[in-house]
Each structure stands twice: as C-alpha cells, then as structure tokens.
Amino acid sequence: MDKRFWQTRWQEGKIAFHESVPNRHLVRHFMALSLSSGSRVFVPFCGKTADLDWLLSQGYGVSGIELNQDAVGEVFERLALTPDVARFRGLTRFSGKGIVIWVGDFFELSALDLGSVDAVYDRAALVALPAQMRTKYVRHLQSLCPSVPQLLVSYDYDQGKMEGPPFSLPEEHVRSLYKDIYEIENLASVDIYGPLAERCSGREESWILRPIGQS
Ligand SMILES: C[S@@+](CC[C@H](N)C(=O)[O-])C[C@H]1O[C@@H](n2cnc3c(N)ncnc32)[C@H](O)[C@@H]1O
C-alpha cells in the first residue's frame, strides 16, 4: 500500500479501522509487557487511535508515527493539547505533555529521531502492509528500537476471500518474521468483530513478543 492509498482513505473518510474506544486487546493484555510507569511506548502507524489516550491515561509516554497530519491534529485536539510543531528533515514532529507523534513516512524515521522507547504496540500496522513489505517493516522497526518487547494485534482469515488491508497474518508468518528476535506467545484469539466482521470471518489475535534472552 503506498502513501497515496492511505491519504486517499483519510480524505474520503474510509477509516473503518478506527475504533472509537481503546482496543480490547490493548486494555486486556498490555500489562503482560510488565512495563513500569513512565515507560515510553512506540505506536507505529498510529492513525488517530484512542489507544494513545488510553496509554497516556495509564501513565505511559507515547511516541507515534502517522502519514496523515489531520489525524495527528485530531489526537492533540482530543487530548486538549496544543502541540509544539517542528520540522525535521522530511518529517514533522508534534509534541505535547507525554506524547510525540511524527507526521511522515515510518520508513524515513530514524532511531535518532525517535529516541529511546521501552515497548512497541502494533495494532493494524504490520497487517496494513502487504506480505512483500513485512520484512522491510520488521527490519526497520528493529533498527528503531531493538530489543524492546512488543504487543502485536493481528488478523488471521482466508486471504482468498478478501483483499487487504488489513492483510491476514497467520501464526506461521508471525513466527517466521519474529522468531530470530523474540520469544512469541499467543495471548488471545477471538472472532473478528466490528466493521471488519461484515467483510470477513476469522480470528483477531494478540501476541506478546519478548526479546530472546530477556524473559
Ligand atoms: C489500518 S490504519 C491503523 C491506524 C491505527 N493503528 C489504529 O489502530 O487505528 C494504518 C495507518 O497507517 C498509516 N500509514 C500507512 N503507511 C504508513 C507509513 N509508511 N508511515 C506512517 N504511517 C503509515 C495510515 O495512514 C493509517 O492511518
């Protein structure tokens, strides 16, 4: 999926992926990461998710990156924060109390830009990408924040029955992408719910990824 695809989705309001309340896997399983209060969580491809608000409300700092600037503006409006805005190379950095969101391409973000983070929360980021982009995503994510644990929310459905995004990410793909870096545990597998359930049936899954040797 190229950048134009996503900008068009935002312009046309075709954002069924957006949930008005914090994601149920996040709320149920985030504590499995055993982070201490004040830890910083990186949320790639963050859109305008209410998950950011939830993470802040739990005492975490959040860093995100998102292509669409209006979505990021909405997050700050919702949080009643006036962002400090700064340009960095091709990216724009919106920051406020506890939160930094980069506007631009995830693949252009560097570890220096991002700074230190303690965990990754991936909901609808990896599954937003077609299979041929996944290795590039995983490698770049590792270059940004190596050796931090991750909560991953993904879908497993018959890809022959529906075109992505979101793309199906069966267990063997999760394992083959991350097996060299993480110990991988499935935390939940529930029927797909919400608007996506009208398009396909399958499983929505959450995974905890713990850096090998650190658990
Ligand atoms: C399926 S949505 C998920 C959004 C959010 N995680 C959520 O749960 O609502 C994928 C998001 O990734 C953004 N996106 C896609 N490609 C991107 C890229 N290369 N860099 C940054 N953001 C990207 C899109 O604009 C879109 O908002």
Side-chain angles (χ1 to χ4, degrees):
M1 294 351 305
D2 64 13
K3 296 181 222 168
R4 254 170 314 154
F5 169 89
W6 288 106
Q7 296 291 20
T8 305
R9 291 281 288 257
W10 280 104
Q11 276 151 20
E12 294 178 351
K14 293 184 179 156
I15 54 165
F17 56 79
H18 177 71
E19 300 178 311
S20 55
V21 293
N23 181 267
R24 60 161 86 169
H25 296 274
L26 174 71
V27 172
R28 284 199 197 145
H29 300 298
F30 195 74
M31 79 277 282
L33 292 173
S34 309
L35 297 179
S36 43
S37 178
S39 297
R40 183 158 282 271
V41 182
F42 180 40
V43 186
F45 292 37
C46 62
K48 58 174 183 176
T49 179
D51 299 343
L52 300 166
D53 312 38
W54 185 85
L55 287 165
L56 287 170
S57 75
Q58 302 300 301
Y60 302 113
V62 291
S63 297
I65 181 153
E66 166 55 44
L67 279 177
N68 187 269
Q69 181 160 327
D70 291 343
V72 175
E74 272 192 53
V75 171
F76 279 86
E77 221 168 273
R78 199 172 63 211
L79 292 168
L81 290 174
T82 305
D84 290 326
V85 181
R87 296 278 304 163
F88 279 78
R89 300 178 292 110
L91 303 170
T92 309
R93 179 183 194 267
F94 283 62
S95 60
K97 192 164 181 275
I99 182 167
V100 177
I101 305 183
W102 298 88
V103 175
D105 184 355
F106 165 80
F107 296 102
E108 300 292 321
L109 184 70
S110 73
L112 204 61
D113 298 328
L114 180 63
S116 168
V117 296
D118 303 295
V120 170
Y121 168 58
D122 175 339
R123 187 256 166 187
L126 182 53
V127 298
L129 295 168
Q132 66 273 20
M133 293 280 296
R134 287 177 185 158
T135 303
K136 185 178 174 196
Y137 169 89
V138 168
R139 284 205 186 121
H140 192 62
L141 190 58
Q142 283 308 302
S143 80
L144 292 174
C145 42
S147 308
V148 301
Q150 178 174 164
L151 180 68
L152 167 67
V153 181
S154 62
Y155 300 106
D156 184 357
Y157 66 89
D158 181 350
Q159 193 71 83
K161 295 211 166 126
M162 188 188 86
E163 270 186 40
F167 295 94
S168 178
L169 189 70
E171 172 163 4
E172 62 268 28
H173 291 211
V174 175
R175 293 195 181 277
S176 74
L177 284 165
Y178 281 122
K179 69 176 183 327
D180 293 336
I181 314 165
Y182 290 118
E183 280 162 12
I184 299 164
E185 183 189 346
N186 181 257
L187 296 177
S189 178
V190 299
D191 284 342
I192 287 176
Y193 63 97
L196 187 59
E198 290 161 24
R199 293 171 61 203
C200 71
S201 60
R203 309 296 287 170
E204 182 163 325
E205 304 191 303
S206 52
W207 306 88
I208 185 159
L209 311 181
R210 296 186 181 90
I212 288 171
Q214 286 185 23
S215 43

